[in-house]
Amino acid sequence: MCTAATYQTKDFYMGRTLDYEFSYGEKIAIMPRNYPLQFRHDGKKITHYALIGMAHVIDDYPLYYDAVNEKGLGMAGLNFVGNACYNDVQENVRNVAQYEFIPWILSQCASLNEAKKLIKEMNLVKTPYNEQLPAASLHWIIADKSGCITVESVKEGLKVYENPVGILTNNPAFDKQMFNLNNYMFLSPKQPVNMFSKELDLKTYSRGMGALGLPGDLSSMSRFVRVAFTKMNAKSKSSEKESVNQFFHILGSVEQQRGCCEVAEEKYEITIYTSCWNSQKGIYYYTTYDRRQITAVNMHKINLDGQQLISYPMLNDEEFYEQN
Amino acid sequence: MCTAATYQTKDFYMGRTLDYEFSYGEKIAIMPRNYPLQFRHDGKKITHYALIGMAHVIDDYPLYYDAVNEKGLGMAGLNFVGNACYNDVQENVRNVAQYEFIPWILSQCASLNEAKKLIKEMNLVKTPYNEQLPAASLHWIIADKSGCITVESVKEGLKVYENPVGILTNNPAFDKQMFNLNNYMFLSPKQPVNMFSKELDLKTYSRGMGALGLPGDLSSMSRFVRVAFTKMNAKSKSSEKESVNQFFHILGSVEQQRGCCEVAEEKYEITIYTSCWNSQKGIYYYTTYDRRQITAVNMHKINLDGQQLISYPMLNDEEFYEQN
Amino acid sequence: MCTAATYQTKDFYMGRTLDYEFSYGEKIAIMPRNYPLQFRHDGKKITHYALIGMAHVIDDYPLYYDAVNEKGLGMAGLNFVGNACYNDVQENVRNVAQYEFIPWILSQCASLNEAKKLIKEMNLVKTPYNEQLPAASLHWIIADKSGCITVESVKEGLKVYENPVGILTNNPAFDKQMFNLNNYMFLSPKQPVNMFSKELDLKTYSRGMGALGLPGDLSSMSRFVRVAFTKMNAKSKSSEKESVNQFFHILGSVEQQRGCCEVAEEKYEITIYTSCWNSQKGIYYYTTYDRRQITAVNMHKINLDGQQLISYPMLNDEEFYEQN
Amino acid sequence: MCTAATYQTKDFYMGRTLDYEFSYGEKIAIMPRNYPLQFRHDGKKITHYALIGMAHVIDDYPLYYDAVNEKGLGMAGLNFVGNACYNDVQENVRNVAQYEFIPWILSQCASLNEAKKLIKEMNLVKTPYNEQLPAASLHWIIADKSGCITVESVKEGLKVYENPVGILTNNPAFDKQMFNLNNYMFLSPKQPVNMFSKELDLKTYSRGMGALGLPGDLSSMSRFVRVAFTKMNAKSKSSEKESVNQFFHILGSVEQQRGCCEVAEEKYEITIYTSCWNSQKGIYYYTTYDRRQITAVNMHKINLDGQQLISYPMLNDEEFYEQN
């Protein structure tokens, strides 16, 4: 399905994989500060923070999958089928349609703290974008360099969780995912020592045996554990190149290869794209299943005071570098 | 440590990861047909098949880690520490120093069958390249489009195994690795069905649950199972781009991220490079930990009738593609 | 810690293990119909259903660990440390001290349905039996031949869950335990078939490979899965001897052996006793760690119209049967 | 299939489970010193050490499954289907039919050392007992208080392994089973510490989490690991009752419950009997699936100088002890 992660070196990075069996058509979309934002139930924003992110653009409107704003607050929506449950529109609250949750937050909040406050006023409602695009079942990860939260709208109401691991996948709900990490506390990047029996001469016959027990499949609970272990133990230098590169390696640990997750007869879920943004610099990096080279779109290369949505096609064609 | 794999679409592909905590300095080296090959104990070859592969080049001599010849026979050596055991030089046999096993085979054999026959005459000996480079503990995978074998020189003698899965990692010995796959026969890219109890309403709450139980750590036994599952279930179209790309996804399933395998205080094993060659076309593709874009070196772009080793540095610097 | 299970053949059976590092002193206690039951906050019951169960008896009062009443309704309390959370006494509700929850239900309810109704009126409170015996952190399983529920008093309030698997262990909360079973739906008493790859000749080299992946450790989540698998697949004839015997085999699958669960320096949790009652016949069977032979106490062998608690010591001394 | 174990307290204990879907009819058989032992190819023994063990008795001849002699040397044969490979009768060696391997060793050897020497002279042959009883595919564990070995007759020849863990199950071969223990060296009876990440507040929410990863199914490789962990960490006092009791708890960790291992339509493998002998005292203890109480047969209660095989039926009927 999908995996999101955060990563801190000198700068704060965040991104996600989008795993699915087909693409709706994605574009890297920059929404400048004066793009007129008409919310469905919550009025209009003429001026706001600029955003960059991956979106399905329809009628010049970006349905963002993930984005970051010019203040460094990032957000991603991930599948949460069977658990997501949205409200009906109510009076005297700020009703927000699920499809506009990302721009509603990122256009108005300069920090995670501001986002937390705004969410308290929010009633997340099931209004679809249009009849052809029913509400997606999602949950969200929101983060800046100060921290990370998970937002889940479930039957019992809206849950806002602190997310100390900076990871989100899909089902089950975030509290179950975090609890499940307890079962893996013995995993380590270091070699194990023999605690089975002092009387047996057991050997570490291979490097990397300290994480024996780490799940390797593509289910969302296993991806949560694996990417959490990878991210929490990841080491890199802090330059832009090294940080971004390491981030793609982290999400690479849960990449979905074509053929390994069959969702219908000869339909395979794959990692359609992987994104990584530098929250401070406003640069959105991505790779796709067919294009390994990292492509960058920099929001500050356009005039952020504009009114028009600027979008770039998601490049998807591998170009081999010919060394001879 | 390392992982090797084969992959068949329209063409036959083969390659490997090299996982280690530091690099000896690798180059992509093409040995043309008239490069004078002086074997340590087995005479000289003035004319032979041309090779391309990754090597540590010393005194203009390529110590190949992996290579393929112009006939489409490929070979890779992978760490086998604690198990590899080489012979002393004997009379009346063809003594081959372990460091020259790859060129000895690839320079003379046009097919896996020819390699199997030649190996029967071979006495693999411990002679080091020089005093500074002691014999590496290795085992080998040799393959062309007709099949794949594993060669292990152990205490009990030289073992040549048919390798039906087309995978090699490190310890333990190949027969134990293959046997271990039996324990994972229930893994599937399809969703599981409830066999636990008909009376319980168990649910597939996530996609990808059919491979629950697949190991996710970096030890060599776990990498063997994981990459075997990924390769045996991999699906791609058969064009060069799609085949090569899928091959890198297959080996990506066992990539080693910096930080997850600590081999000494703050020393981490990583996937230094990943290679993939098209056996028919003589093109050697590679990526490195720091450079995701696939780089290609084509042996047929040089004069293969030359006498000089042609080598190219292993490019290791990520270049982001700037889309705006 | 503890494991409880139900089992249906011709009759309905229920029981539990009590796992701990020391015993408080247990007795098999029969409370006849006219034993005067003085509840702490909910008045007095002069006449009520008779019970039999395992208890720590203090001041002639049975602090039941588990019990069944003459109508066939059974109940057991199991450790739930860190999650159990009891209320304060409130007005206008039926306040029940946690230590008297078992007799309060079993003395008044002839069926699970009656228990469910009564629980709706209950406010489970933290009042301890006395100052030396602080409130234990528990959750409960209640069952008769019609069904099974789990009752958990947690921070969020009193949770009453349908328990379709008829199993209870300890932490985490019951909903997490049930959810976790989804991860094991592929386990089977039958041999697995090769779904890994049709091209590999994988073998079932041993019987019993269909449940590869079943956890074997003594943690409460692993015991839940293991005993659930064992119970849901258990087969026996339906005579009393065969049913009771099979029940002890089911709970035997999660027995705690001395040495395998160290809870403090040289302190080991073991299965102190295992109980099994025939709900219809009012017979309470048990074994202890040191006494394998099944011992039976039959409530109908005493005058159930009495007023005095009748208790029997828990026999704990193995007697080998000498065949020659 | 089967599991064998050794256990040392003040005395040395050894025993096994026999797991199968039906019984051939077992008896506890004492072979006194003057029972005339006619070996098939290796002459006759008129006087020899006395034995006690479990056997299928045919024509007054005991086909021992497991036995111990009066000197304290014990031995058990366990299924090894698909791997066992016996020789043809040869000249100038001591040919021993596989069915008489146990009495051949135990009648002549006073210690493990003597057994090791005798085995060097042995040619283990496929001669069946008779046409109705084809040679069983077995391997063997032989032990006294000085040590333990495993004997396997395979395609490559007779293998005699030191057995430091004192455990035997079934397939695969013993060297693979021992190697596999390396993968579990991190298991511990103590609680795990958080090595996953210092920045995450992971919790041991249950006791017994130190052995998370221990396999719980009934396959022979999983039983090997589980009983090895249980035995190597087992703690008991050293009296006869406590030692024997703990031994049955150790083998109880791999007991096969009816229903959990289906070997054919509605045919289930179960633990038919579990045995435990005190090697020094010559007492043979056993329990059966249907009879939990430990039954004892003492070889020293009969005249060991006799000539007749003395056998006792395997008692199999549970007798509940009625406490009231």
Side-chain angles (χ1 to χ4, degrees), chain A residues 21 189 207 214 216 241 245-246 249 255 262 269 286 289 293-294 296 301 313 318-319 321 323-324, chain B residues 21 189 207 214 216 241 245-246 249 255 262 269 286 289 293-294 296 301 313 318-319 321 323-324:
Chain A
E21 67 269 30
R207 291 172 162 199
L214 187 69
K241 273 197 184 174
N245 186 271
Q246 182 72 349
H249 283 296
E255 194 212 26
E262 185 171 340
E269 185 166 285
Y286 68 93
Y289 196 82
Q293 189 182 18
I294 297 168
K301 285 191 179 169
E318 186 73 54
E319 294 172 52
Y321 177 85
Q323 198 172 352
N324 77 345
Chain B
E21 67 269 30
R207 291 172 163 200
L214 187 68
K241 272 197 186 176
N245 185 271
Q246 183 71 350
H249 284 296
E255 195 212 26
E262 186 172 339
E269 186 166 285
Y286 69 93
Y289 196 82
Q293 190 183 16
I294 296 168
K301 285 191 179 169
E318 186 72 56
E319 292 172 53
Y321 178 85
Q323 197 173 352
N324 77 344

Side-chain angles (χ1 to χ4, degrees), chain A residues 39-103:
Chain A
F39 295 114
R40 186 63 72 100
H41 311 284
D42 194 46
K44 193 176 262 194
K45 277 257 156 200
I46 301 302
T47 297
H48 49 76
Y49 298 131
L51 325 185
I52 184 170
M54 193 68 83
H56 176 61
V57 178
I58 182 166
D59 314 329
D60 218 37
Y61 182 83
L63 292 163
Y64 278 116
Y65 299 176
D66 49 77
V68 61
N69 70 17
E70 59 181 303
K71 294 297 182 181
L73 183 65
M75 186 165 172
L78 284 81
N79 258 330
F80 196 45
V81 177
N83 279 313
C85 186
Y86 306 117
N87 291 339
D88 292 317
V89 172
Q90 291 169 23
E91 294 194 5
N92 301 320
V93 290
R94 299 183 69 172
N95 296 296
V96 175
Q98 53 78 30
Y99 70 81
E100 62 189 8
F101 186 23
I102 290 178

